[in-house]
Amino acid sequence: MKISLNQLKSYVEINVPVEELCDRMVMAGFEVESIESQGDKLVNVVVAKIEKITPHENSDHLQICQMNIGKGELVQIVTGAQNIKEGDLVPAALDNSILPNGMNIKAGKLRGVESNGMLCSGEELCLTEADYEGAGVHGILILKDDLNVGTDMREVLGLDDYIIDFKITANRPDCNCFLGVAKEIGVVLGTEFKAPVPTYKTVGQDINDYIKIDVENYELCPRYIGRVVKNLRIKESPDWMKKAILASGMRPINNIVDITNFVMLETGNPMHAFNYNELLGKHIIVRNAKDGESITTLDGKQYDLNSDMLVIADGENPSCLAGIMGGLESEITDDTTDLFLESAKFKRDNIRHTARALGIRTEASGRFEKGIDIVNTHYAMERALGLIYELDAGDIIEGEIDRNQGLPEGRIITVTTDKIMELIGVDVDDDTIVKILNSLGLPTTLEGKTITCKVPSIRDDIEGRADLAEEVMRIYGYDHIVGTPMRGAVIRGKKLPERIKADALKNLLCSLGGNEITTYSFISNKAIDTLNLDADDERRNVVTLLNPLGEEYSTMRSQLLTSMLNVVATNFNRKITDARFFEINKRFVPKALPITEQPYELPTLCLGFYGKDEDFFTLKGTVEEIMKLFGAHTEYERSSENYMHPGRQATVKANNKSVGVLGELHPDVAATYDISTRVYVAEIKLDELFAINKRKTIYKPLPKYPAVERDFAFLCDKDISIGTLEKAIISGASRLCEMVELFDVYSGSQIPEGKKSVAFSVWLRSADSTLSDEEIETVTNKILKKLEAAGAELRK
Amino acid sequence: MKQQLEAIKSTAIAAIGECDSLAQIDEMRVKYLGKKGELTALLKQMGKLDPAERPIMGQLVNEAKAGLETLIGERSAVIKKNETALKLKEETIDITMPGKAHKTGKLHPLNTVLNDMIDIFQSMGFDVVDGPEVETDYYNFEALNVPADHPARDMQDTFYLGENLLLRTQTSAAQIRTMENRKPPIRIICPGRVFRADEVDATHSPVFHQIEGLVVDKGVTMCDLKGVLEQFAHEIYGKDTKVKFRPSFFPFTEPSVEVDVSCSECGGKGCRVCKGSGWIEILGAGMVHPKVLASCGIDPEVYSGFAFGIGLDRLTTTRYKISDIRLLFENDKRFLDQF
């Protein structure tokens, strides 16, 4: 809420500099977004006397002026204006000056002649005839001749005001107005605050002869006050009112409209002015709109209404969108002669719904949404009438119509001072507590240790002792709070097992050269298509956002892979030659679609490797280390993901359960992402891995007897997998098998077509004895038999 | 013959002294001490001598032999030492050449900072819990004292997934889930991802991270809140850091405060980092609203508590002086390698 400091000073004494005022208001709960000095917009412009005017050689309209700015030496300024003469006092913007219209004036040359500034017109200083006599004239502003040469123009124009932008928190709608803020300032500074006391005289007659008011829906409109003013004298508002309205970011229009806006800004209560003569049937009905009704509002737009929306109707049609915007038909114009004036309270969520549904937001609707005080509604009306009388804007008809179903009494809170302060832990003496609460307009009495606080409806935010504690502390000062260390037995906090496991996994991956990445949880709804998944693939079941920032962020991801590929693409295309990326994050799996309950959020690991040293097996090696970390018995089986290289991909099975896939990205998919290198990716379901109960580590005695190493080289069909052969050896060696290591795979010259040569080293060891030659012979034969059965024959 | 011996001896001593390889030494050994060597030849001539002179001469020759052998031994030790030195010298490498590293990777900076925070709060006895990112309206708003159409909902632009389902706008939702499932004393933090419909720019991201803290027990006060936040600030920003409370408003705490710490860059004098104020806003906090306690079945007349919410992304960008929050989500390897 932007407020003019001078306006605030009309309600409360402000005896400190503006910066201090703002600092102290911040510490009382009113954040200051900005302090704007009017003077900041007018810098280095002074009163100057034209000593001499000479014509410009290269121009028939430019003139060269020698200006006296009170510094002895004259300053030369070229001007195009013709309304000046020697001896005139004019505003001169000197080198490096700033004008209110945003212009920045610097010395330069005009058609070859040096000019050290600019002579200013009223318009360039953003002045009207009302601000300074002569400002409306076309040409340079001629100043009054009693001014001293060299005087700063800010001083001449009285630009001493500041506009302070207070950020009003959602619990203090009562401070969305001049009076609310001024009252708080009074408390903070300890100075006197005075709200204007409206007085006016009516011209007699009876309002009931003019208008009838019916409220059909008191739930949405708990109070409606109407008054009638005749014989309007529409004109411009006085300067002080225009300045206050402008400072708060609104535009002055005419005295009647300005009064309604000013009263809203001053009291926080929106008002509405109707052209009385346009009200059909001289009847005001506050009712829900009928389906099919429509209204054309002040801004000329037509809106179709429905029965959830509240309108102020005349005898026939909606005349105003309640609390939001008036209708065009009943707008106040320069020709309007009679006025129906409204001050009302509307239910905030209804206003909010209607404003959102229609996409309208006004100063009034914003205030109703935040909530206005039902009691204050009457003061606002009185204040408006007082101003109409004061400004002689019309003749006030006697009597008001006030429709309501009773006004709230306000809340009474009874609590001991100890109870209030126990939340804070600071001792504040009882009298100080009572004094602070009373100063805040919360009438409070003390009896023993018990206070009774009568909370007026305007401070509806105060519900109990916690609120009172806050009121006391923000005035008493939060700097009185002294930190105390944590009490109670200090036991180190615990982490959830999933977090401990994820942390261990991250450390492992970092030690294997992985860089952790972080990507958004929502992705493009087209991303999933880049993976060419089958139509019935479960990853196509996705949760979508109803109101995404854009298509790009519209879908909760059911996999992490597409985000990974974007990161790989970014890096690859920035000429980063190699990388190992990993991300541990959630994938979202709906329980049903469309979703009615929270989806599963499952921890997932995604790996993405590329670079000249990477291949399927560097990725597989990493996955093997991961499986080891979780103590999983792991197997790899050929898989058939459409987005992977058909011959270079595998399903990872941990303890016989599929937990993910790894492989080389299909070149077509890589091309979709604009990646022209091989990329190796894996996606692992961590929920499955986290669920594995890893066996506790128990020390195994070191072997007492030597191991025997035997090498086996054999031929087999090319399509027999190494895994099959390895299994054959292990089963042949049985309990003597300590380790099997592949050391050569070869096909080519000297190997028959369709065959390959494979060589393994096998370590055999017995826990009970040194193996004898016979034992070795026996186990070797067993191994060979198994290999033969698997289709391999020993190379001779 | 004696003269002959002396001549051989002096020639040999000189020759051995000049040897500078083991091969030459071997040559010397053969030449003087070998079976066909000069001293051996001299011994063979002994027969020609007078029998009385033979033992004397024999002794002389043997002494000469022993002397030369010692000399050869010494010389070869010197040569060996020199040769080793030479070999090692030749093996000198350029130690400025790059190491053959086994490359390690890095945690994302957000998680590096998060781990520090978790460590600090764990040491103060806070358990670390998690909560769902897709929340119901109840946990994200209602139970936090933000009923439907409360103006406080305007403070946050919410992503909706369904009528009643949304992406949590604050980790505060975890407060409710924790209080429903645990009995006081409660001391938890809940780090996590939150979402708000902010357009992406240098300081805004629709996805960001918070750390929610919650303490509920008998007799918990705002002084306790300040104590915890001071300890946190001292560990994160240094032990001279001051903590300041400014009144504010959150629907789920009462009283509510914004918490500033003295600027660690200028020590509170005012600089560019703190925009001249000497203070940096780091989090929002307050005493848990009695209505919030009550809605979780905790009697606000018996128990009180405090809660705070820290923005992890902001903490990370300020710690590393990262100028643009988008860098955190872009994942350029050259960026990730720096932390």
Side-chain angles (χ1 to χ4, degrees):
Chain A
M1 164 112 211
K2 286 189 175 182
I3 310 182
S4 137
L5 181 65
N6 284 345
Q7 186 63 33
L8 289 170
K9 283 178 176 169
S10 70
Y11 311 112
V12 62
E13 187 194 339
I14 296 175
N15 50 11
V16 295
V18 64
E19 292 79 13
E20 187 186 336
L21 171 71
C22 290
D23 284 348
R24 289 173 69 175
M25 286 298 280
V26 167
M27 291 313 290
F30 297 88
E31 207 176 304
V32 172
E33 306 249 46
S34 63
I35 308 171
E36 192 184 298
S37 161
Q38 286 187 333
D40 289 351
K41 292 181 173 177
L42 182 66
V43 178
N44 211 12
V45 181
V46 300
V47 176
K49 187 173 175 190
I50 305 172
E51 296 289 355
K52 197 174 172 206
I53 302 179
T54 48
H56 193 296
E57 281 184 9
N58 302 324
S59 165
D60 49 10
H61 74 280
L62 292 179
Q63 308 194 75
I64 304 165
C65 305
Q66 304 304 326
M67 307 299 299
N68 175 0
I69 59 165
K71 293 240 172 92
E73 228 168 281
L74 298 183
V75 175
Q76 175 171 301
I77 293 177
V78 177
T79 181
Q82 303 299 324
N83 69 325
I84 47 169
K85 59 179 191 303
E86 288 176 0
D88 280 348
L89 290 183
V90 296
L94 305 177
D95 184 25
N96 261 329
S97 54
I98 299 168
L99 300 187
N101 60 11
M103 270 174 83
N104 199 334
I105 308 296
K106 288 196 165 27
K109 282 185 176 172
L110 277 177
R111 296 218 182 160
V113 175
E114 210 173 281
S115 179
N116 295 303
M118 187 181 93
L119 305 188
C120 305
S121 68
E123 194 186 345
E124 280 155 346
L125 298 177
C126 292
L127 300 173
T128 62
E129 199 61 36
D131 298 310
Y132 198 93
E133 199 186 321
V137 172
H138 180 74
I140 302 300
L141 171 60
I142 309 299
L143 299 167
K144 292 186 184 103
D145 53 14
D146 58 350
L147 295 171
N148 288 327
V149 167
T151 309
D152 194 310
M153 277 302 290
R154 287 183 280 202
E155 207 177 298
V156 175
L157 298 171
L159 292 179
D160 57 345
D161 201 5
Y162 291 86
I163 296 169
I164 308 172
D165 190 359
F166 291 101
K167 188 174 166 187
I168 308 296
T169 52
N171 59 327
R172 294 303 304 273
D174 61 303
C175 288
N176 269 316
C177 59
F178 304 160
L179 292 175
V181 171
K183 192 171 166 182
E184 291 286 332
I185 291 175
V187 178
V188 168
L189 299 183
T191 55
E192 197 188 354
F193 159 76
K194 268 192 204 153
V197 182
T199 53
Y200 56 89
K201 286 191 183 120
T202 68
V203 293
Q205 305 183 33
D206 183 357
I207 187 171
N208 292 305
D209 295 337
Y210 283 88
I211 196 94
K212 188 177 161 209
I213 298 177
D214 284 307
V215 174
E216 287 185 1
N217 190 335
Y218 277 107
E219 197 209 329
L220 300 187
C221 174
R223 190 176 195 185
Y224 196 96
I225 303 172
R227 294 291 299 236
V228 173
V229 180
K230 296 267 290 176
N231 306 323
L232 294 184
R233 293 174 280 281
I234 305 256
K235 54 195 169 195
E236 261 188 61
S237 304
D239 265 4
W240 63 266
M241 186 180 281
K242 284 196 281 190
K243 277 186 179 167
I245 290 173
L246 279 167
S248 293
M250 296 186 79
R251 259 178 333 112
I253 294 166
N254 60 46
N255 53 355
I256 295 297
V257 176
D258 291 353
I259 285 171
T260 61
N261 285 334
F262 177 82
V263 170
M264 171 176 72
L265 293 170
E266 187 182 56
T267 68
N269 259 73
M271 309 282 297
H272 189 63
F274 296 80
N275 182 341
Y276 170 79
N277 296 313
E278 294 295 332
L279 297 175
L280 300 175
K282 305 305 166 208
H283 192 179
I284 286 285
I285 306 164
V286 184
R287 61 163 170 85
N288 291 56
K290 293 168 188 155
D291 287 324
E293 267 183 335
S294 67
I295 187 171
T296 303
T297 47
L298 287 172
D299 54 5
K301 291 184 189 151
Q302 188 180 330
Y303 297 96
D304 292 328
L305 309 176
N306 66 46
S307 59
D308 292 335
M309 300 168 176
L310 194 71
V311 295
I312 315 302
D314 60 18
E316 297 184 12
N317 303 311
S319 191
C320 173
L321 210 43
I324 300 173
M325 198 184 275
L328 191 60
E329 295 248 310
S330 57
E331 183 187 15
I332 303 292
T333 65
D334 289 352
D335 309 325
T336 307
T337 55
D338 303 310
L339 163 73
F340 174 72
L341 191 58
E342 158 199 300
S343 176
K345 176 177 169 73
F346 301 110
K347 197 181 177 202
R348 63 188 195 190
D349 43 330
N350 180 257
I351 297 292
R352 185 181 143 106
H353 274 304
T354 305
R356 300 238 150 166
L358 299 178
I360 318 176
R361 204 186 142 73
T362 59
E363 283 282 338
S365 72
R367 283 182 165 75
F368 281 119
E369 282 180 32
K370 286 171 185 141
I372 61 151
D373 178 39
I374 193 166
V375 174
N376 200 31
T377 309
H378 189 256
Y379 175 77
M381 177 60 91
E382 291 294 297
R383 176 66 171 148
L385 295 175
L387 287 168
I388 287 171
Y389 185 76
E390 186 184 322
L391 303 185
D392 190 31
D395 300 334
I396 302 165
I397 302 299
E398 180 67 37
E400 71 171 12
I401 298 175
D402 183 354
R403 297 273 178 255
N404 66 72
Q405 292 191 319
L407 299 179
E409 304 243 319
R411 193 179 278 122
I412 291 178
I413 302 173
T414 308
V415 65
T416 64
T417 49
D418 294 347
K419 267 301 215 192
I420 296 175
M421 297 319 294
E422 82 179 11
L423 284 174
I424 309 295
V426 172
D427 276 333
V428 182
D429 70 72
D430 296 353
D431 291 340
T432 305
I433 293 175
V434 172
K435 202 177 136 203
I436 289 174
L437 294 177
N438 276 309
S439 72
L440 287 167
L442 306 167
T444 304
T445 54
L446 180 71
E447 214 180 307
K449 293 291 279 178
T450 303
I451 64 155
T452 304
C453 179
K454 284 171 86 173
V455 182
S457 61
I458 197 164
R459 289 302 310 272
D460 199 35
D461 59 302
I462 295 178
E463 297 173 307
R465 61 177 175 129
D467 305 285
L468 293 179
E470 178 168 77
E471 291 302 299
V472 171
M473 282 314 292
R474 70 185 180 87
I475 302 301
Y476 185 68
Y478 276 110
D479 48 351
H480 286 96
I481 293 178
V482 178
T484 48
M486 280 303 284
R487 286 170 290 161
V490 173
I491 300 166
R492 191 173 167 80
K494 291 175 194 64
K495 285 182 189 174
L496 298 174
E498 291 77 15
R499 184 175 289 277
I500 294 172
K501 287 177 186 179
D503 284 350
L505 177 55
K506 285 180 186 181
N507 286 338
L508 172 72
L509 288 167
C510 285
S511 73
L512 294 174
N515 271 322
E516 189 189 15
I517 62 168
T518 290
T519 59
Y520 286 175
S521 308
F522 32 60
I523 57 175
S524 162
N525 60 16
K526 294 185 188 109
I528 200 78
D529 293 331
T530 62
L531 299 181
N532 303 323
L533 300 177
D534 293 338
D536 60 349
D537 192 294
E538 61 176 17
R539 284 165 289 188
R540 285 193 180 274
N541 298 334
V542 289
V543 181
T544 50
L545 274 67
L546 298 180
N547 58 334
L549 282 182
E551 182 280 320
E552 208 184 336
Y553 308 125
S554 61
T555 305
M556 298 308 289
R557 55 183 170 177
S558 57
Q559 42 73 36
L560 272 57
L561 193 59
T562 54
S563 308
M564 174 61 77
L565 292 178
N566 283 327
V567 171
V568 169
T570 303
N571 279 276
F572 177 73
N573 290 313
R574 288 179 183 180
K575 310 279 180 258
I576 292 156
T577 55
D578 60 282
R580 289 185 162 192
F581 291 126
F582 73 90
E583 177 166 24
I584 295 177
N585 226 313
K586 290 172 168 182
R587 65 183 196 278
F588 296 83
V589 179
K591 290 171 186 160
L593 281 176
I595 59 160
T596 50
E597 54 182 320
Q598 288 164 284
Y600 296 110
E601 297 180 14
L602 303 171
T604 309
L605 166 69
C606 189
L607 299 171
F609 292 9
Y610 73 93
K612 68 175 168 39
D613 295 332
E614 305 294 357
D615 58 30
F616 177 87
F617 296 103
T618 57
L619 179 68
K620 188 180 173 190
T622 305
V623 172
E624 283 167 346
E625 287 300 310
I626 295 168
M627 295 300 146
K628 236 189 271 172
L629 177 73
F630 289 100
H633 172 71
T634 314
E635 283 172 298
Y636 298 87
E637 287 174 5
R638 269 197 197 287
S639 55
S640 53
E641 293 283 1
N642 297 340
Y643 58 86
M644 297 250 214
H645 187 305
R648 298 182 173 184
Q649 55 168 306
T651 299
V652 188
K653 290 180 87 176
N655 299 348
N656 273 325
K657 210 168 178 185
S658 167
V659 295
V661 283
L662 77 158
E664 183 179 321
L665 191 68
H666 197 292
D668 291 350
V669 177
T672 312
Y673 282 85
D674 206 12
I675 305 170
S676 54
T677 188
R678 292 176 191 267
V679 184
Y680 304 92
V681 292
E683 187 157 304
I684 312 272
K685 297 172 178 171
L686 292 180
D687 41 320
E688 303 281 4
L689 290 189
F690 288 169
I692 294 172
N693 270 323
K694 192 181 177 181
R695 260 195 292 173
K696 245 181 32 188
T697 305
I698 291 167
Y699 149 81
K700 259 187 252 149
L702 299 178
K704 284 184 193 144
Y705 303 100
V708 179
E709 185 194 340
R710 282 286 179 276
D711 291 351
F712 295 87
F714 41 84
L715 280 177
C716 67
D717 286 347
K718 247 184 176 170
D719 54 6
I720 294 179
S721 74
I722 298 293
T724 311
L725 299 171
E726 195 178 325
K727 271 186 194 160
I729 294 172
I730 291 167
S731 83
S734 179
R735 64 180 180 85
L736 296 184
C737 181
E738 182 168 83
M739 188 166 74
V740 179
E741 197 177 84
L742 175 74
F743 71 87
D744 189 44
V745 182
Y746 175 75
S747 58
S749 64
Q750 298 177 6
I751 303 294
E753 187 69 23
K755 298 270 181 189
K756 63 183 170 188
S757 155
V758 182
F760 282 99
S761 285
V762 181
W763 278 263
L764 303 166
R765 194 197 301 264
S766 160
D768 320 312
S769 62
T770 303
L771 291 175
S772 67
D773 287 350
E774 294 80 54
E775 281 173 305
I776 294 167
E777 178 82 30
T778 314
V779 73
T780 303
N781 286 334
K782 278 189 191 163
I783 291 172
L784 289 176
K785 252 191 196 152
K786 291 281 185 185
L787 280 172
E788 244 167 63
E793 56 172 315
L794 200 65
R795 265 191 102 176
K796 311 251 163 56
Chain B
M1 195 167 183
K2 205 172 173 182
Q3 283 169 349
Q4 222 179 328
L5 178 65
E6 286 305 318
I8 291 170
K9 238 171 91 178
S10 62
T11 320
I13 289 169
I16 290 166
E18 277 169 20
C19 284
D20 51 12
S21 76
L22 290 176
Q24 283 173 332
I25 284 285
D26 279 344
E27 263 173 45
M28 288 302 130
R29 189 175 277 122
V30 172
K31 185 172 179 189
Y32 295 105
L33 305 174
K35 281 180 186 165
K36 292 176 182 171
E38 289 182 25
L39 283 179
T40 319
L42 209 58
L43 275 174
K44 282 178 184 164
Q45 290 175 30
M46 292 267 278
K48 296 174 189 167
L49 286 180
D50 181 51
E53 281 183 46
R54 278 183 203 164
I56 302 159
M57 198 58 207
Q59 196 186 346
L60 282 175
V61 172
N62 279 332
E63 275 173 17
K65 228 176 150 177
L68 287 184
E69 247 163 39
T70 312
L71 209 59
I72 285 173
E74 283 169 4
R75 186 64 200 164
S76 66
V78 170
I79 289 169
K80 265 186 202 159
K81 201 175 158 196
N82 288 346
E83 281 192 350
T84 308
L86 195 68
K87 187 179 168 226
L88 294 183
K89 199 183 169 204
E90 278 169 2
E91 284 176 359
T92 299
I93 52 164
D94 179 354
I95 48 89
T96 64
M97 280 168 67
K100 292 175 190 167
H102 170 75
K103 281 188 190 162
T104 57
K106 298 285 175 65
L107 282 182
H108 193 278
L110 282 172
N111 279 327
T112 303
V113 176
L114 174 61
N115 285 347
D116 288 353
M117 310 259 288
I118 286 178
D119 196 44
I120 292 168
F121 284 108
Q122 266 191 300
S123 76
M124 287 192 263
F126 287 77
D127 286 349
V128 188
V129 304
D130 280 328
E133 289 170 15
V134 176
E135 264 298 0
T136 62
D137 189 87
Y138 178 78
Y139 285 100
N140 195 73
F141 288 125
E142 287 273 349
L144 287 164
N145 196 28
V146 189
D149 294 307
H150 189 281
R153 290 203 183 192
D154 283 346
M155 292 157 71
Q156 301 169 359
D157 285 313
T158 311
F159 288 118
Y160 283 92
L161 304 174
E163 198 180 330
N164 191 33
L165 291 172
L166 46 84
L167 293 178
R168 67 175 169 192
T169 58
Q170 48 201 8
T171 42
S172 309
Q175 282 184 29
I176 307 301
R177 291 187 179 273
T178 303
M179 286 190 279
E180 282 179 349
N181 293 318
R182 295 183 178 209
K183 291 278 151 276
I186 292 170
R187 209 182 278 187
I188 57 117
I189 57 167
C190 174
R193 207 162 240 228
V194 297
F195 305 84
R196 286 184 202 175
D198 278 330
E199 290 289 346
V200 185
D201 65 24
T203 53
H204 293 88
S205 166
V207 177
F208 57 104
H209 303 79
Q210 286 183 336
I211 297 155
E212 188 78 8
L214 174 71
V215 170
V216 180
D217 202 349
K218 285 178 184 165
V220 174
T221 71
M222 239 176 160
C223 293
D224 298 325
L225 168 62
K226 195 166 185 186
V228 164
L229 295 179
E230 275 172 348
Q231 187 169 341
F232 160 73
H234 292 169
E235 297 209 32
I236 289 276
Y237 299 103
K239 68 175 168 47
D240 296 326
T241 307
K242 289 185 211 48
V243 171
K244 183 171 86 174
F245 283 179
R246 262 186 300 123
S248 187
F249 169 71
F250 306 107
F252 36 92
T253 48
E254 186 73 38
S256 303
V257 287
E258 292 283 359
V259 180
D260 297 342
V261 293
S262 54
C263 177
S264 54
E265 204 60 30
C266 62
K269 285 189 220 86
C271 66
R272 258 186 46 194
V273 174
C274 56
K275 295 185 188 105
S277 72
W279 297 93
I280 293 177
E281 182 181 319
I282 56 160
L283 58 92
M287 301 305 290
V288 182
H289 199 289
K291 282 187 185 171
V292 174
L293 289 173
S295 74
C296 299
I298 294 174
D299 185 351
E301 290 303 314
V302 179
Y303 292 100
S304 58
F306 62 77
F308 54 88
I310 306 170
L312 179 60
D313 310 70
R314 177 101 190 280
L315 208 65
T316 306
T317 52
T318 43
R319 177 192 286 196
Y320 297 116
K321 300 193 170 45
I322 297 168
S323 53
D324 190 327
I325 195 175
R326 284 171 289 200
L327 285 163
L328 294 174
F329 296 95
E330 192 180 71
N331 302 295
D332 187 307
K333 185 164 179 282
R334 296 163 297 184
F335 173 80
L336 299 174
D337 276 338
Q338 294 179 30
F339 303 98

